Each structure stands twice: as C-alpha cells, then as structure tokens.
Amino acid sequence: MSSYQAPISDMTFNLFDVWQLDQYWQTNAQLQDLIEGDTAKAILEEAAKICEQQIAPFAGEADQRGAQLTNGVVSLPAHYHTAYQSLVEGGWTGLSGDPEYGGMGMPKALSMMVDEMLCSADIAFSLYPGLTAGACVALLQHADDATKQTYLPKLYSGEWSGTMCLTESHAGSDLGIMRTMAKPNDDGSYAINGSKIFITAGEHELTANIIHLVLAKLPDAPAGSRGISLFLVPKYLLNETSEPGERNAVTVGSIEHKMGINGSATCVLNFDDAKGYLIGEPHRGLSCMFTMMNYERLSMGSQGLGAAERAYQNALAYAKERLQGRTTSQDPNKADAIIGHPDVQRMLLNIKAMNEAGRTFATWVAALLDKSKYDNCTISGQRANLLTPITKAFMTDQGLDACVTAQQIFGGHGYIKEWGMEQLVRDVRIAQIYEGTNGIQAADFMLRKVAADEGTVLLSLLDDITDELATRPLIEAAPLTNAITDLRQLTAQLLTKDNTTLAGAACDYLALVSYVLYGYMWYKNLLALDDSKHSRNFIAAKTHTASWYFKRILPRAAGIKAILSNDAASLYTLAPEHF
Amino acid sequence: MSSYQAPISDMTFNLFDVWQLDQYWQTNAQLQDLIEGDTAKAILEEAAKICEQQIAPFAGEADQRGAQLTNGVVSLPAHYHTAYQSLVEGGWTGLSGDPEYGGMGMPKALSMMVDEMLCSADIAFSLYPGLTAGACVALLQHADDATKQTYLPKLYSGEWSGTMCLTESHAGSDLGIMRTMAKPNDDGSYAINGSKIFITAGEHELTANIIHLVLAKLPDAPAGSRGISLFLVPKYLLNETSEPGERNAVTVGSIEHKMGINGSATCVLNFDDAKGYLIGEPHRGLSCMFTMMNYERLSMGSQGLGAAERAYQNALAYAKERLQGRTTSQDPNKADAIIGHPDVQRMLLNIKAMNEAGRTFATWVAALLDKSKYDNCTISGQRANLLTPITKAFMTDQGLDACVTAQQIFGGHGYIKEWGMEQLVRDVRIAQIYEGTNGIQAADFMLRKVAADEGTVLLSLLDDITDELATRPLIEAAPLTNAITDLRQLTAQLLTKDNTTLAGAACDYLALVSYVLYGYMWYKNLLALDDSKHSRNFIAAKTHTASWYFKRILPRAAGIKAILSNDAASLYTLAPEHF
C-alpha cells in the first residue's frame, strides 16, 4: 500500500506566508480568541497523526473489503470504527462547527487542510465526517433554533452523522422532476415516501443515529425545481429526552458496487411513510440544499488534491528508488534511478506544480469564504462564489490527471493492486462526477458566474491581479500578464455569444480561467518566499516549480484559447441520428 | 453490461474508400489470390458475430471472476474456452499467419480491424490470441525452418498459444540488466534459470501447449542489452511425434491482482532448468524480440481504439435515452435527452472525432506495413516505423481519454460497475503502460525516429501531405496547412537542441505530431466521401465531425507548440532532494 505524510510545511507556508491568515485571524473579533498561528500548526500536526497512522495505512484493506450489506445492515471495515472514534474523541468532527452549538469554530482555511489530509488518507472514509459537516452547514443556516439545539451538538460531537438525499434513479442533476413526496401529518411532521439513490453514508453503524436531509415535494408543490422542500429524517426518531428511540421507516434497499471508494456505503434508501420535519420554508428546499452542496463542492477540491498529493509522494519515492536505464552511469550492467530521466522529471513536475498551485488556490477560496462569513465582506463572498466551480471541477480534473500520471511513473507496478496507485485513480475518479458533474460546474461557471453579470466579478478580480503584478512585478511571472490579457480578450469575445455557444465552451473556458489563476497562485508562492524564514531547498524547489509552471503548463492556455476563438455555434447542433 | 456492435461501415469506409486497399490488394501478386473487397467485408462480418455475441456480452463477468490460480493451475472464465474454440474453429487465430505454415495470410490492414473488434469485446480475452500472433511473427522472422514447421502450424491453428517473457522484477524496460541465464545442455538445447514477471497469458488451459519466448543471457554474454538471447521454451516438451509430452520446468509462481483486464492471467513464471531452444543468433535476442514488440505495439493501438469505440457507442446510446434538464421542452416536469446539451455534444464529438481519425490512422499504418512487407517498399517501411510509437502511445492515451469522457456522460451511473463503463476505463489503462510505457514510446519517437535522421522521414511525409493538400485543397482542412507549417518550424527548432531537452519534450512532441496527422486523417476522410456511395447521414456525420476536429481539437496543437517553444533545458535538472 502507498504511504502518506501530511505536507504540513506547504500547508503552513500557504496559511501564514502566502495568504498571511494568522494576521487576518488576529484582526477578526470572532476568530481572534479561537485561533492563532501556533494553534493552527498544532491542529494540523494532530490531524496528520490520525490520518497518517490510523487511516492511510489501511486504505487498501478498506478498498478490498468495502462496505457490505447483510440483512439491511451495512458493515464497514473494522478500522473505520476505531479511526472514527479517534476523530470523535479529538473533537475533529466539529472542527468547523459553530461554537454556539458545540463546534470548534475553526476557519475554513484551516479545516480545509484537515479535509485534504483525510482525503489523502482515504477518500471513502473522509465521506463519513464530510457529509455530516455538510449537513450541519445546511441546518445551521436554515433550521429553527430548537432543531439546531437538538441536532447540531450531536452532529458536531460525531455521535450522530448526516447525509444528503437528493438523487432519484430517473432524476440525477435534474432535481425538478423528482417524485419523492412529503404529506403533512397531524402532528406537524411529514410522511415521506419515495426512493433515493447514490446516498453516501446512507446507512452504517459508525454512529448512534443518522440524520438524513431529504428533498421531497409537498402535495401543493409548484412544478419543477421551485416545488422542492427540505426535510430532516432521522434514522431513529428521537424520544422525549432527545435520544434515538424508535426506528424510522428509512431502509437501505441495496448498496452500489463501484469503481472505487469501496469503503463508502453508497445506498439506495427507501422512505415508506418515514417521519420527517420541514427545514426552512416550503418549496425552498433547493436553495437550502445548495448551501450544503456549495460546502461539499469545496470539499470535492480537497478530494482531488488529497489523492493527488498522496499519488505524488509515492511516485516521487518510487522514482528515487527504481533503477532503470542509464542517465549518469556508464556501466551497462548498472541502472540509475528513473528520477534522472527528463520524462520522469516532467511527470513529477507537472503533478507537483499543479498540486501546490491547487493547495494555494483552495486556501485562497477558503479564506475568501472566511472573510465573507466573519467580516461580511461582499467582494470576498462574490469571489468565493465565482471560484467554487473551479475548486470543484478543475481541482478534481487535475486530481485524476495527477493520479494517472503518478501511476504511469510506476510502470507495470502502477497497474498492480498491491502498490496502491491504481486505487488512487479509482477513488479520485468519483470526485469529477458527484456533487454535480464537472460539466455542470462548468455550465454554472460560464453561464451563472461569468455571463450572467457580464463578467463583472471575474474582470474585477483580474483587475486586482493585474494591479498587483504591476505593483510587485516578478520577472518569472511575466507570462502571466500576457495570459491575463489573452483571457480578457477571449472573455469579451465570448460574452457576445449565444447561450449554446457559451454552454459548449464552458468546460474549456473553466479550464482556461483556472490555468491563469493557477499562474497567479505561483506568483503568490514566489512572492511569499523569504530567505530568513525558508530553507534553501524549499526556496529552490518552489522557484524551480514556478518556472516549470510558467514555461511548461501555463502555455496550455494558448491551446484552449485557440479552440475557443473558433466560431462554433453551428457545431452543437448535430442531430442524434448523425452521431 | 455495456453493449457493442462492430463499426463495420466505418471499417469498410477506411479500407475501400479512404485508403482504397481493395485496389492495392489486386495489384499485389501475393495478396490478389487471397483477398478482395467482398471477402474482406465478409471476414469483418463474421468476426463481428463472434465478438458481439460470444465475447462482448460476458466481459463484465470475466472482469468479476478474473483469472484464478489454484495449485499451480490457472483457470479462466468458462466462456473464454467456448469463445476461444470459436476462434480456433473459424481459423481466426491464424488470420494474419503465413500461408506457408498454415496461416490465412490476410493483410495487416484487415487483421488489425479484427483486433479492434476483439479489443472492444474484451481486451483481457484478446490478449490470448494476440500474444500468440506476436510470438508467430517473431518465430517466422527469426527461427530456422524446422522450428517453424514444428511450431507455427500449431500456433496458427490455435491448438497452442504463445507468450513473450521479458520483464524481471528489477528489470522492467531496462532489459540489459536482466538475470535469467541460459546454460548450454549437451543436446544443443539450453537450461533456462530465472524468474519473469508480468507474463501475459503465461499459464492457462485454453490450449494444449504454451510456447514461451524467453529472453535470457548466455554464460559468455557481453554486458548490457547486447548480451541477450532469445529462447523458445515450451510448457510441454514435444515428444518424437511433435506432440506435447513431458512437462517442462516452467511453473507459475503467482498471478497479479490488477486494476483491470482481470480475465488476463498475468503471471510470475519461474524457470528452473527449463529446457529451451535458441532462436536466431546468440546475443541478438533483443532485436528478435523487437520484431514481436513492434507487432504488439500496433495491437496496443487497437486496444485503445477498441475500448474507445465501445465506450462511445454506449455513451451515445445513454445520451439519447437519459432525460435530464430541458433543452427544447418548456414543461418543468419534463426533461429532454441529454444529447441536446451542448456540453454532452462536445464530449461525444471529441470521442467520435478522435476514434474515427484513430481508425483511419491505424489502417494507414497497417497498410504501410503491408506495402513494406508485400512490395518491399522502403519508404512505406520507414513511415510505418516512424508512426508505430504514435499508434502505441497516442492511440492508447486517447483510448483512456475517450473511456473517461464516455464514463462522465453517464454521470453517477458511469461509476457503478453494472453499467460496464468503469471497466472500460480500468481495462484500457494498461495499454498506456505495457509493451513499453508511452513515455518510452515518446522517447523512441523523438530521439530515434525523428532526431536520429534529422527529421528526414517525418519531413518527407509532411512534404507529401503538403503536396496533396495543394493538389486537392479542401476549404474545411485549411487549418491543417497552418498546423503543418507550425510543426515544421518547431521541429527545426527542436532539432538544434540537446538530448535532455529532446527527451523532456518527447511526450508533448509526439502528441503534437499526432494531432497534425489526425488532421490529415480527417482530410482523407473528407476526400473519400462520395454522394453516389455514401448515405446522406453518413456524409453529414463525417463532415460535421471533421469540422469539429479542425475547429475544436486541432487547435490543441497550438498549446503544445507554445509549451515546446519555451526553452526548457534547465528545467530537467531539479535535484531529487528539491522535489
């Protein structure tokens, strides 16, 4: 099985040097008592221990055994229970939770790094605490205070866990056509009837209760997506002392056999007059759920990055050890380590450059979310909103790419299960699909986040970056200035086009913007380097990898621009029979 | 499980209309009695029946069960035996074999299409006849006549099968450092001792005997790759009547658990004083084996294309059936087929455009091989040689890309085993790795096929294409002319660089040349369209897909050119401790 060591020095570099969040935390009234630099570092180190020692070494076993369904009961790999208990005992399940309800109140920029570690350790395992955290965000924002008092402390403590139940077999991303119904009961609760599929962590015995957040339609619901409401449906109904009592009518029909994340129980859940409680306003369930979805979308980025980081570490170690071919040796019977081959360096640098830019990017987006939340900063909120689909789509696309490339460095051994590289490929693949496919993310980005406001938020961001580049120019980052100019030009051109053209261009456009912004991330990495703080090796690696990015990766933007510059309106109209 | 229907109309379009091989066959003395257009079409139709009915429907079962090792005996999925018998009974295992030894003597351009079908049906299954065909090529070219008389008829008939035994655990692609030894016996045979890994079809009971072609070193061998010899090592030694008799000392140590191609028995083979026979000259084994490797490398292209074709067919069918979102419908409760979404059209067209160009490309390379073989045409041989690494590397890279994209079109269902899409991803992934990783192919292309002759063969090919474009210009293909100009310019620039830069540029350069040549393939497709022969739908689809290629795919070349135009010599020198 592949090994894993949390990249704490790059994490603290991002937190403290690139984005100087320790300084920001001190300026904020809510955060200043909760967190400062040393605490943050200690938190990362403690999280690393659990991930490195209790989860990562057993990810291969979890993959092989998987979640199993027997007589309606889902059993998980045994070490999932002990590792989960460690999370509970350390308070990790409430890391980003609201302190008013027992959470630790840590900023997203920090909790996201713990997410990354959990994903490196085992994406399948990470989903159990991950879904709970998402459910808490939705409840915190949309539930009434009594509900929050009842459920949030138990969810933050990890005693209970959460799910999100959206998908039905005929309705994937098209929630408007869902069929699950909610009929009012006399006591103010609702009787939920229907069947949901692909429910992550839908059934298991890690926790004493599971709180399902379920989308369903009320009898008087308007048609389509404006007629969906959100319901809280506990696996065990609470008794008078708010402890799990009677079993609710939610049962698991089956669990899916998947390409990967086998330790995650992906359930078909049947609701047969299950008792549920309305959360938020009737018919406003979709916007409630989007609160949770947006949170999850950021976590998806951590899945891409987490798998890519682990893939990189193992490919690097292998490249240093594996002797094949001659680079410096002259002896035909002696081989050199493959890291000496330019093509292996190319693969490693491609992964490294994208991973480190990805980590800086994720920290940036999380910090924007924090500033939006703690300082009510409008522009930070708008930018986080703009960048969310990139975090989800681009970071997971890069995650697959990194894992495939790292697997390639292993040659034939990369294809064999025992090395663990192929599992990373299988596991990370799902992140491009769930929580809204990357195509849906791209459409959201192009149409809603860029075209809908005529590019205002994006262009103001590009203005600020341009100003920063002018104020603190770095010769290495010169290609970034040109790339931004090209991006502006193309954006202006695209904004004159019809929606079909935009929808067809969306995936490429999202990638183009991402490459430019990753260039900005490398610029920020370079800016943050400091002889007095960082080791020579650290500075050499960062400087070299930045050059690699600007010379060997950023030019990909030119190809995408060339694609999108061609007029293509007529190309998305091929009749089905002509395919 | 995913379905499959052989794309016979596109195959015959390539054979007869694009490359007019039926006309070529009639001009060749050896081929004119063996094959003509109608026979070729009938052969494709018969092969399609076996692949569609006996292999493809059960690929999922084969994946789930896999090859199993019990007490030294490898058992395969039961239907592998019946399907293999069908191949034997129809003479398919000798399709491309030399008629002098009982083969059917079919040209490569035709047999390659049967390979594609077998790979669409089940890559793992295809390896059993595939390895045999490769072993036959090596024997035909390097063995003495007595050996050929003894072994080839049994291999062509499928009674026996073949393997190639190269890899050792410490020596993957670096064959020079292998340790397997061959000591001369008194009777002129050799005692082989050593252990080989990753031996495809190394042990099974599909056939009455298995003929291993094994690389090993003679006691007096020079160091490195110039000291390797080739040996024929049968699983059962032949008795006086040339029938399998005594069991030879070749045993299977274990079989690998892999990401995919689970039906393929990937064996560790131990040779303990196994009796072997020298094939070809002492110490010349590597060049003998390369005969086989080159043959296999072309078959790798078929694996990429075969999986991609099946992935496309299923994604297309799904996109026509799956109702999600509204494209033409106004009713919020009614969804339209997802094929109406521009982003889904984009994904389908990307796959389709690459697959069809890939088929034209594979047919071209096969026809060049045929012209080299049957007409001793030097320039055809040189060009086949030039294009072989592209067939192996680019076609398999595109194979993975196509399967991942097709899986994406299925959304969550693409990740679930029962739909069969994830298996295609897992199965096709190996083709980028084995028979020399795609990185090694790229190095071979850049350094040996292009730089070593200062680009002569490539540039003469580009000259001919440029002439053809000038003689028969097509307005749609105008971007191809520019792409060729850019490629020439970049090639001239690269040819001035040192080997480190070239090795580092190799993968990107291979992709760049491939995109340009695939543009030429689409030009050839367009040229071959004929109102009097082809249906309106066929012409509409080809014309539209060609436009897609020139506007939406070929521009990727601009991005690669931008990457390779940057000076990068200093970038491949990062010390291991700086990674």
Side-chain angles (χ1 to χ4, degrees):
Chain A
M1 191 52 210
S2 65
S3 62
Y4 172 64
Q5 208 174 2
I8 289 180
S9 61
D10 200 49
M11 289 176 166
T12 53
F13 175 68
N14 275 291
L15 284 176
F16 307 143
D17 301 321
V18 177
W19 298 112
Q20 301 170 349
L21 296 179
D22 47 347
Q23 293 175 33
Y24 162 66
W25 297 335
Q26 290 314 307
T27 65
N28 180 277
Q30 279 171 274
L31 289 170
Q32 63 189 191
D33 295 334
L34 289 170
I35 183 78
E36 41 77 52
D38 286 346
T39 320
K41 189 156 182 250
I43 286 175
L44 293 178
E45 284 164 351
E46 287 306 307
K49 280 185 204 159
I50 298 178
C51 293
E52 292 170 1
Q53 295 166 16
Q54 296 191 44
I55 307 170
F58 313 109
E61 277 173 54
D63 175 60
Q64 241 177 336
R65 184 204 182 272
Q68 294 172 2
L69 175 66
T70 319
N71 300 326
V73 177
V74 170
S75 71
L76 301 181
H79 76 274
Y80 274 27
H81 288 268
T82 49
Y84 187 81
Q85 273 316 304
S86 297
L87 292 187
V88 168
E89 283 158 22
W92 296 100
T93 47
L95 188 67
S96 58
D98 190 326
E100 203 183 324
Y101 301 98
M104 282 174 65
M106 290 298 118
K108 185 79 185 161
L110 185 65
S111 66
M112 194 144 170
M113 289 183 173
V114 177
D115 285 346
E116 184 201 315
M117 291 184 202
L118 283 165
C119 293
S120 289
D122 183 352
I123 289 177
F125 177 82
S126 80
L127 297 173
Y128 295 97
L131 267 288
T132 303
C136 288
V137 172
L139 288 177
L140 187 68
Q141 198 155 332
H142 302 288
D144 56 37
D145 190 60
T147 305
K148 289 195 239 187
Q149 294 286 4
T150 307
Y151 291 95
L152 283 178
K154 297 286 193 180
L155 289 165
Y156 286 152
S157 73
E159 280 175 83
W160 301 349
S161 58
T163 75
M164 50 197 288
C165 304
L166 289 78
T167 305
E168 300 181 10
S169 65
H170 70 292
S173 303
D174 190 356
L175 296 167
I177 57 175
M178 71 169 50
R179 294 184 191 131
T180 298
M181 295 298 299
K183 231 174 32 201
N185 294 326
D186 294 339
D187 63 356
S189 70
Y190 293 81
I192 313 286
N193 281 286
S195 185
K196 297 283 183 179
I197 66 166
F198 296 162
I199 307 310
T200 300
E203 175 57 28
H204 57 79
E205 304 205 310
L206 284 183
T207 55
N209 205 354
I210 302 176
I211 310 306
H212 304 290
L213 295 186
V214 183
L215 290 182
K217 287 185 172 176
L218 291 166
D220 59 345
S225 61
R226 286 160 206 275
I228 296 169
S229 305
L230 181 64
F231 298 88
L232 183 156
V233 183
K235 173 179 169 184
Y236 294 103
L237 295 166
L238 304 192
N239 62 21
E240 285 151 20
T241 59
S242 287
E243 290 300 314
E246 191 192 339
R247 177 81 191 233
N248 203 353
V250 191
T251 50
V252 53
S254 60
I255 61 174
E256 304 290 351
H257 299 98
K258 309 184 297 291
M259 182 183 196
I261 56 164
N262 291 328
S264 168
T266 307
C267 302
V268 172
L269 285 189
N270 298 317
F271 299 84
D272 301 297
D273 275 336
K275 189 177 265 200
Y277 308 97
L278 182 67
I279 301 291
E281 300 289 306
H283 316 317
R284 299 297 303 277
L286 214 54
S287 66
C288 299
M289 193 55 100
F290 271 121
T291 308
M292 181 170 176
M293 292 284 288
N294 272 333
Y295 181 96
E296 290 299 325
R297 280 171 184 173
L298 293 174
S299 304
M300 293 302 110
S302 301
Q303 293 183 22
L305 177 57
E309 170 65 33
R310 185 170 186 168
Y312 174 73
Q313 290 184 14
N314 285 277
L316 176 60
Y318 188 83
K320 287 179 177 177
E321 281 163 22
R322 176 72 172 170
L323 309 175
Q324 292 278 282
R326 271 137 297 279
T327 50
T328 54
S329 164
Q330 301 299 321
D331 180 346
N333 285 320
K334 250 190 172 165
D336 294 316
I338 61 170
I339 197 170
H341 293 295
D343 190 57
V344 174
Q345 289 232 347
R346 178 188 69 85
M347 291 190 276
L348 287 170
L349 282 165
N350 274 344
I351 307 175
K352 181 177 169 69
M354 295 306 288
N355 282 2
E356 293 181 17
R359 187 170 295 116
T360 304
F361 186 82
T363 315
W364 182 32
V365 177
L368 289 169
L369 281 173
D370 286 335
K371 283 171 194 167
S372 161
K373 175 176 168 183
Y374 295 107
D375 297 331
N376 281 314
C377 172
T378 309
I379 194 165
S380 295
Q382 287 171 335
R383 287 181 180 178
N385 204 30
L386 172 77
L387 302 178
T388 295
I390 292 183
T391 321
K392 198 284 178 180
F394 193 67
M395 288 185 70
T396 58
D397 284 349
Q398 295 307 316
L400 180 72
D401 202 53
C403 292
V404 167
T405 304
Q407 181 189 28
Q408 191 74 14
I409 291 173
F410 277 74
H413 297 284
Y415 199 69
I416 304 299
K417 281 186 182 280
E418 66 177 299
W419 290 83
M421 300 305 287
E422 62 85 38
Q423 184 189 342
L424 291 172
V425 174
R426 288 186 290 106
D427 283 356
V428 80
R429 179 69 183 93
I430 187 60
Q432 299 173 289
I433 299 173
Y434 59 13
E435 309 303 331
T437 63
N438 286 0
I440 288 176
Q441 303 300 322
D444 174 51
F445 181 69
M446 177 91 255
L447 298 169
R448 286 190 220 144
K449 304 292 167 66
V450 177
D453 76 351
E454 291 179 341
T456 308
V457 175
L458 173 64
L459 295 172
S460 104
L461 173 62
L462 295 180
D463 286 343
D464 285 357
I465 296 173
T466 306
D467 287 349
E468 192 175 354
L469 288 168
T471 313
R472 303 184 65 183
L474 287 179
I475 183 82
E476 305 93 315
L480 177 58
T481 307
N482 299 331
I484 292 173
T485 307
D486 284 354
L487 173 59
R488 278 180 195 284
Q489 199 178 37
L490 182 80
T491 303
Q493 192 184 324
L494 281 175
L495 287 174
T496 66
K497 306 285 183 191
D498 62 296
N499 268 3
T500 297
T501 303
L502 293 179
C507 271
D508 286 320
Y509 185 73
L510 182 143
L512 176 58
V513 175
S514 304
Y515 280 118
V516 172
L517 294 179
Y518 271 39
Y520 177 52
M521 296 303 102
W522 272 111
Y523 166 77
K524 295 296 278 184
N525 269 256
L526 287 176
L527 272 193
L529 293 174
D530 180 342
D531 282 347
S532 70
K533 269 166 131 178
H534 305 119
S535 74
R536 249 189 233 187
N537 277 356
F538 188 85
I539 292 174
K542 282 285 183 192
T543 311
H544 192 100
T545 311
S547 291
W548 182 268
Y549 187 84
F550 289 119
K551 288 190 171 182
R552 259 14 205 178
I553 298 181
L554 184 59
R556 291 179 196 170
I560 305 177
K561 195 193 166 217
I563 288 170
L564 294 180
S565 299
N566 283 323
D567 192 20
S570 66
L571 292 178
Y572 300 105
T573 55
L574 191 59
E577 66 272 22
H578 289 168
F579 268 95
Chain B
M1 190 53 209
S2 65
S3 62
Y4 172 64
Q5 208 175 357
I8 290 180
S9 62
D10 199 49
M11 289 177 165
T12 53
F13 175 68
N14 275 290
L15 284 176
F16 307 143
D17 301 321
V18 177
W19 298 112
Q20 300 168 350
L21 295 178
D22 46 347
Q23 293 175 33
Y24 161 68
W25 297 335
Q26 289 314 307
T27 66
N28 180 277
Q30 281 172 271
L31 289 170
Q32 65 189 189
D33 295 336
L34 289 169
I35 182 77
E36 41 79 52
D38 286 347
T39 320
K41 187 155 183 251
I43 286 174
L44 293 177
E45 284 164 350
E46 287 307 307
K49 278 186 205 161
I50 297 178
C51 292
E52 292 169 2
Q53 295 165 17
Q54 296 191 43
I55 308 171
F58 312 110
E61 277 172 55
D63 175 60
Q64 242 177 334
R65 184 203 182 273
Q68 295 173 2
L69 175 67
T70 318
N71 300 325
V73 177
V74 171
S75 71
L76 301 181
H79 75 274
Y80 274 27
H81 288 267
T82 48
Y84 186 81
Q85 274 316 306
S86 295
L87 293 185
V88 168
E89 283 158 22
W92 296 100
T93 46
L95 189 68
S96 58
D98 189 326
E100 204 183 323
Y101 302 96
M104 280 175 66
M106 290 299 117
K108 185 79 184 162
L110 185 64
S111 66
M112 194 144 170
M113 289 182 174
V114 177
D115 285 346
E116 184 202 313
M117 290 183 203
L118 282 166
C119 292
S120 289
D122 184 352
I123 289 177
F125 177 82
S126 80
L127 297 173
Y128 295 96
L131 267 288
T132 304
C136 288
V137 171
L139 288 177
L140 187 67
Q141 197 155 334
H142 302 288
D144 56 36
D145 190 58
T147 305
K148 289 195 238 187
Q149 294 287 2
T150 306
Y151 290 94
L152 284 178
K154 297 285 194 181
L155 289 164
Y156 286 152
S157 72
E159 279 176 83
W160 302 349
S161 58
T163 74
M164 49 197 288
C165 303
L166 289 78
T167 304
E168 301 181 11
S169 66
H170 70 293
S173 302
D174 190 356
L175 296 168
I177 57 175
M178 70 170 50
R179 295 183 191 131
T180 298
M181 295 299 298
K183 232 176 31 201
N185 294 325
D186 294 338
D187 64 356
S189 70
Y190 293 81
I192 313 286
N193 281 285
S195 185
K196 297 283 183 179
I197 66 166
F198 296 162
I199 308 309
T200 301
E203 174 57 28
H204 57 80
E205 303 205 313
L206 283 182
T207 56
N209 205 355
I210 302 176
I211 310 306
H212 303 290
L213 295 186
V214 184
L215 290 182
K217 288 185 171 174
L218 291 166
D220 60 345
S225 60
R226 286 159 206 276
I228 295 169
S229 305
L230 181 64
F231 299 87
L232 183 156
V233 182
K235 173 179 170 183
Y236 294 103
L237 295 165
L238 304 191
N239 62 20
E240 286 151 17
T241 58
S242 287
E243 291 299 315
E246 192 192 338
R247 177 82 192 232
N248 202 353
V250 192
T251 51
V252 53
S254 61
I255 61 174
E256 305 290 353
H257 298 99
K258 309 184 298 292
M259 183 184 196
I261 56 163
N262 291 328
S264 167
T266 307
C267 301
V268 173
L269 285 189
N270 297 317
F271 298 85
D272 301 298
D273 275 337
K275 189 178 267 199
Y277 309 97
L278 182 69
I279 301 291
E281 301 288 307
H283 316 319
R284 298 296 305 277
L286 214 53
S287 66
C288 298
M289 193 57 98
F290 271 123
T291 307
M292 180 169 177
M293 293 283 287
N294 273 330
Y295 180 95
E296 290 299 326
R297 279 172 184 172
L298 294 174
S299 303
M300 292 304 109
S302 301
Q303 293 183 22
L305 177 57
E309 170 65 33
R310 185 169 185 169
Y312 174 73
Q313 290 184 13
N314 285 276
L316 175 60
Y318 188 82
K320 287 179 179 177
E321 280 163 22
R322 177 71 171 171
L323 308 176
Q324 292 278 283
R326 270 138 296 279
T327 50
T328 54
S329 164
Q330 301 300 320
D331 180 347
N333 284 319
K334 249 191 171 163
D336 294 317
I338 60 171
I339 196 168
H341 293 295
D343 190 57
V344 174
Q345 289 232 345
R346 177 188 69 84
M347 291 190 275
L348 288 170
L349 282 165
N350 274 344
I351 308 175
K352 182 176 168 70
M354 295 308 288
N355 283 1
E356 293 180 18
R359 187 170 295 115
T360 303
F361 186 83
T363 316
W364 182 33
V365 177
L368 289 168
L369 280 174
D370 286 335
K371 283 172 192 166
S372 161
K373 175 177 169 182
Y374 294 108
D375 296 333
N376 280 314
C377 172
T378 309
I379 193 165
S380 295
Q382 287 171 334
R383 287 181 180 178
N385 203 31
L386 172 77
L387 302 178
T388 294
I390 292 183
T391 321
K392 198 287 178 178
F394 193 68
M395 287 185 70
T396 59
D397 284 349
Q398 295 309 316
L400 179 72
D401 202 53
C403 291
V404 167
T405 304
Q407 181 189 27
Q408 191 73 17
I409 291 172
F410 277 73
H413 297 285
Y415 199 69
I416 305 299
K417 281 186 183 281
E418 65 176 301
W419 290 84
M421 300 306 288
E422 61 86 37
Q423 185 189 342
L424 292 171
V425 175
R426 288 186 290 106
D427 283 355
V428 80
R429 179 70 183 91
I430 187 60
Q432 300 173 288
I433 298 173
Y434 59 15
E435 311 301 330
T437 62
N438 286 0
I440 289 176
Q441 303 300 322
D444 175 50
F445 181 70
M446 177 91 257
L447 297 168
R448 286 190 219 142
K449 305 291 166 66
V450 177
D453 75 352
E454 292 178 341
T456 309
V457 174
L458 174 64
L459 294 172
S460 105
L461 173 63
L462 294 180
D463 286 343
D464 285 358
I465 295 174
T466 305
D467 287 350
E468 192 176 353
L469 288 168
T471 313
R472 303 185 64 184
L474 286 179
I475 183 80
E476 305 92 315
L480 177 58
T481 307
N482 300 331
I484 292 174
T485 307
D486 284 353
L487 173 59
R488 279 180 194 283
Q489 199 178 36
L490 182 80
T491 302
Q493 193 185 324
L494 281 176
L495 287 175
T496 66
K497 305 287 183 190
D498 62 294
N499 267 4
T500 298
T501 303
L502 293 180
C507 270
D508 286 320
Y509 184 73
L510 182 142
L512 176 59
V513 174
S514 304
Y515 280 117
V516 172
L517 294 179
Y518 270 39
Y520 176 51
M521 297 302 102
W522 272 111
Y523 166 77
K524 296 295 280 182
N525 269 256
L526 287 175
L527 272 191
L529 293 174
D530 181 342
D531 283 347
S532 69
K533 270 166 131 177
H534 306 119
S535 75
R536 250 188 231 188
N537 277 356
F538 188 85
I539 292 174
K542 283 283 184 194
T543 310
H544 192 101
T545 311
S547 291
W548 182 266
Y549 187 83
F550 289 118
K551 289 190 172 182
R552 250 32 199 169
I553 298 182
L554 184 59
R556 291 179 196 171
I560 305 177
K561 195 191 167 218
I563 288 170
L564 294 180
S565 299
N566 283 323
D567 192 19
S570 67
L571 292 178
Y572 301 104
T573 55
L574 191 58
E577 66 271 23
H578 289 168
F579 268 96

